[in-house]
Amino acid sequence: GENVEQHPSTLSVQEGDSAVIKCTYSDSASNYFPWYKQELGKRPQLIIDIRSNVGEKKDQRIAVTLNKTAKHFSLHITETQPEDSAVYFCAASIGSGGSYIPTFGRGTSLIVHP
Amino acid sequence: GAVVSQHPSWVICKSGTSVKIECRSLDFQATTMFWYRQFPKQSLMLMATSNEGSKATYEQGVEKDKFLINHASLTLSTLTVTSAHPEDSSFYICSAPGTSGVAAQYFGPGTRLLVL
């Protein structure tokens, strides 16, 4: 089955700095890569996603890049703010139509110091 | 749109009792729902895939007789933890896939279970 590795497990930055979280996956058939943000005790919320036919996607301060050849994808957050502090999970999914079953990375605890 | 609710949000029970957790899709139909377990500071671990009108598919290592799943309708899936023990204490989250080709999962708010 799919295996997703996520690094680092903890990331501490100063407000205004950039943060980068990296994930690798094992199954070359994976074709959908979402990123979720989970605040303490709350549900994971989708923040950005990318499909395998796209190399990069950006949404304001958040961007995701995908390298299919190397089987890795990364989340980039620029101009970090204290409210960005949370646990971030990457996931790799195989599917089509309305059926994608994600395999999650272990999560990265991002701490943004004001 | 695509709101998923869970009930209860938290539950405390005695060892040996059974606990039922409900997962509802409020504004869409879900033929498939997923159940995850999350221990503190750990990732989401898929327990089982709930299929409306058929048996659930369990991940390796998950006891199907202990974690009973029933997908009774297109908007409701239930997870029953039978004969709960302290090691079953965890955060249980359900999710449903998006509709109309949306690939993202929509998560419920989670149920925190504490077994004494």
Side-chain angles (χ1 to χ4, degrees):
Chain A
E2 176 65 276
N3 182 49
V4 177
E5 298 284 340
Q6 183 173 347
H7 299 280
S9 57
T10 305
L11 179 58
S12 183
V13 300
Q14 288 295 127
E15 182 177 2
D17 288 350
S18 295
V20 180
I21 303 171
K22 299 181 179 181
C23 289
T24 61
Y25 61 99
S26 61
D27 194 334
S28 57
S30 289
N31 56 359
Y32 174 66
F33 306 90
W35 286 87
Y36 291 89
K37 175 183 180 182
Q38 186 179 28
E39 297 178 1
L40 188 63
K42 296 187 177 180
R43 77 185 84 193
Q45 299 271 19
L46 178 73
I47 56 171
I48 196 167
D49 56 7
I50 192 168
R51 294 181 184 267
S52 58
N53 58 350
V54 176
E56 184 174 357
K57 184 176 178 181
K58 189 173 182 179
D59 182 4
Q60 299 183 335
R61 297 187 296 109
I62 296 173
V64 57
T65 58
L66 171 65
N67 183 326
K68 286 175 54 181
T69 303
K71 288 189 283 191
H72 67 68
F73 55 114
S74 300
L75 177 71
H76 304 253
I77 305 175
T78 59
E79 301 173 28
T80 54
Q81 302 167 3
E83 50 265 38
D84 294 330
S85 298
V87 178
Y88 291 81
F89 293 98
C90 64
S93 309
I94 302 173
S96 61
S99 179
Y100 290 79
I101 301 177
T103 299
F104 288 90
R106 297 177 66 87
T108 296
S109 177
L110 174 64
I111 303 167
V112 181
H113 299 281
Chain B
V3 177
V4 176
S5 70
Q6 260 182 264
H7 178 80
S9 56
W10 60 272
V11 57
I12 302 173
C13 69
K14 293 181 179 180
S15 186
T17 60
S18 295
V19 175
K20 179 185 284 188
I21 302 170
E22 294 185 346
C23 178
R24 294 182 185 273
S25 56
L26 297 185
D27 51 358
F28 67 104
Q29 293 181 335
T31 56
T32 300
M33 288 184 177
F34 303 101
W35 286 95
Y36 296 86
R37 181 166 51 183
Q38 185 178 34
F39 291 109
K41 297 186 178 181
Q42 294 191 22
S43 188
L44 295 147
M45 300 302 299
L46 180 65
M47 299 175 66
T49 302
S50 170
N51 303 298
E52 189 270 336
S54 64
K55 291 182 179 180
T57 304
Y58 289 83
E59 295 300 301
Q60 191 172 7
V62 178
E63 300 175 57
K64 61 181 180 181
D65 294 331
K66 180 170 183 61
F67 298 99
L68 301 179
I69 290 173
N70 182 24
H71 201 136
S73 72
L74 288 172
T75 59
L76 174 64
S77 175
T78 60
L79 168 68
T80 301
V81 183
T82 62
S83 186
H85 288 94
E87 57 265 30
D88 298 323
S89 298
S90 188
F91 193 49
Y92 293 86
I93 308 179
C94 67
S95 74
T99 57
S100 302
V102 175
Q105 295 288 317
Y106 295 99
F107 287 90
T111 297
R112 191 162 301 281
L113 171 64
L114 177 60
V115 184
L116 301 177

